[in-house]
Amino acid sequence: MTSVSTTATSLASQIALCDVLLIEISGIHSSLARDIKHTLEVRNKSPATWR
């Protein structure tokens, strides 16, 4: 019975870690998307407005 409980606890911990990692990946994705959007907006402006 102890090994089953330990396995369940281990699995729950791994699932929790995966949830945290997914949240972190989502944040990185959002940040990169904003950076790319900003870069494209800057590149699409005419050279006269770069100053």
Side-chain angles (χ1 to χ4, degrees), residues 7-51:
T7 302
T9 301
S10 176
L11 182 58
S13 295
Q14 290 175 2
I15 291 170
L17 177 59
C18 287
D19 288 344
V20 170
L21 291 173
L22 285 172
I23 291 168
E24 291 297 319
I25 290 169
S26 176
I28 292 167
H29 176 268
S30 296
S31 177
L32 288 173
R34 278 192 307 271
D35 290 348
I36 289 169
K37 181 180 177 187
H38 174 73
T39 300
L40 292 174
E41 288 172 352
V42 168
R43 286 184 181 174
N44 288 332
K45 289 184 179 179
S46 68
T49 64
W50 287 357
R51 296 180 192 179

